[in-house]
Amino acid sequence: MKKLFVLMAACLMTLAASAQDAVGTLSLKPMVGMTIANVVGEDADGTDPKLGLIAGGELIYQASEIFALSGGLLYSMQGCAGDGGLKMKLDYVNVPLMGNLYVAKGLALKAGLQLGILTKAKASMKEGGVSADVDVKDAMNSLDLSIPIGISYDINNSFVIEGRYNFGMTKIGKKSYSFMGEHFTDDENNVRNSVIQLTLGYKFAL
């Protein structure tokens, strides 16, 4: 039993040594990267991933030696691709709130909750050199709730490489909406966002 307590203490000391910032410090992390977006759900058959950009920043508060809290504001290009050059372009301003657990030197596991605010929604078609965009924002829900989980690695406590997956919890489309002067009711709208984001950030103390 004594050996077990010694082992547990050694593990805790290792975790404590893995924190990158002093307890109580606040950092700002501008970040930019790419999204690999799609939609999921029982009514999301036949869709393909769509590439986009993500940019913004996060504030990070080092709450303890191994745990930090972060809040962000990120502009994210999402949506999906389909057959025949069709794309659904959904742009959001996302506000993620994350807990960050440092499990090794520079390595953090993270999870939290994210609110997305829809800023743009277009259906885009490109065929034979001709392209057309149709605004479909009125058919989409203005708010999107998701659960982000991810992993990040700090390089010299400055550059941060991160991969994150946002699992959509709410439907992106309205059940009842108006489009081009006509009113529609759609019962087959069980479609949610599914987004992988890969980013590079630079962290500095405030």
Side-chain angles (χ1 to χ4, degrees):
M1 182 64 70
K2 183 178 179 180
K3 291 182 178 179
L4 178 60
F5 281 119
V6 171
L7 180 60
M8 291 173 62
C11 290
L12 289 174
M13 290 176 65
T14 300
L15 286 173
S18 68
Q20 298 301 296
D21 296 314
V23 176
T25 58
L26 187 66
S27 301
L28 177 63
K29 184 184 70 174
M31 53 199 291
V32 66
M34 67 178 292
T35 58
I36 306 172
N38 205 340
V39 293
V40 296
E42 58 188 46
D43 301 315
D45 294 338
T47 63
D48 295 312
K50 169 188 168 296
L51 299 181
L53 297 175
I54 184 169
E58 291 186 329
L59 284 173
I60 305 168
Y61 175 71
Q62 194 70 38
S64 73
E65 293 181 332
I66 63 171
F67 185 75
L69 292 169
S70 64
L73 193 66
L74 305 170
Y75 193 85
S76 179
M77 296 180 179
Q78 300 174 193
C80 64
D83 296 332
L86 179 65
K87 287 185 179 180
M88 181 68 70
K89 300 178 181 179
L90 303 175
D91 290 3
Y92 291 88
V93 172
N94 288 328
V95 184
L97 300 175
M98 308 280 287
N100 305 267
L101 178 66
Y102 290 90
V103 296
K105 185 174 177 59
L107 184 66
L109 302 179
K110 49 187 63 187
L113 194 63
Q114 176 175 277
L115 177 66
I117 303 169
L118 184 67
T119 62
K120 184 188 301 183
K122 289 187 176 182
S124 174
M125 171 70 78
K126 186 174 183 179
E127 186 175 3
V130 178
S131 60
D133 290 330
V134 178
D135 192 324
V136 293
K137 189 176 180 180
D138 288 343
M140 300 295 166
N141 287 315
S142 59
L143 298 179
D144 180 67
L145 189 66
S146 62
I147 295 177
I149 57 173
I151 186 171
S152 67
Y153 184 71
D154 291 19
I155 303 173
N156 296 326
N157 198 27
S158 296
F159 291 98
V160 183
I161 301 172
E162 182 176 334
R164 193 179 297 183
Y165 175 68
N166 297 326
F167 177 78
M169 299 294 293
T170 53
K171 299 174 183 179
I172 63 174
K174 295 178 180 177
K175 184 175 181 180
S176 179
Y177 57 91
S178 296
F179 181 67
M180 297 184 69
E182 299 290 336
H183 187 77
F184 298 88
T185 299
D186 188 359
D187 293 325
E188 295 183 354
N189 67 343
N190 186 23
V191 176
R192 295 170 280 107
N193 282 309
S194 173
V195 183
I196 296 171
Q197 63 183 59
L198 306 172
T199 59
L200 175 64
Y202 184 80
K203 183 171 63 173
F204 56 90
L206 297 178

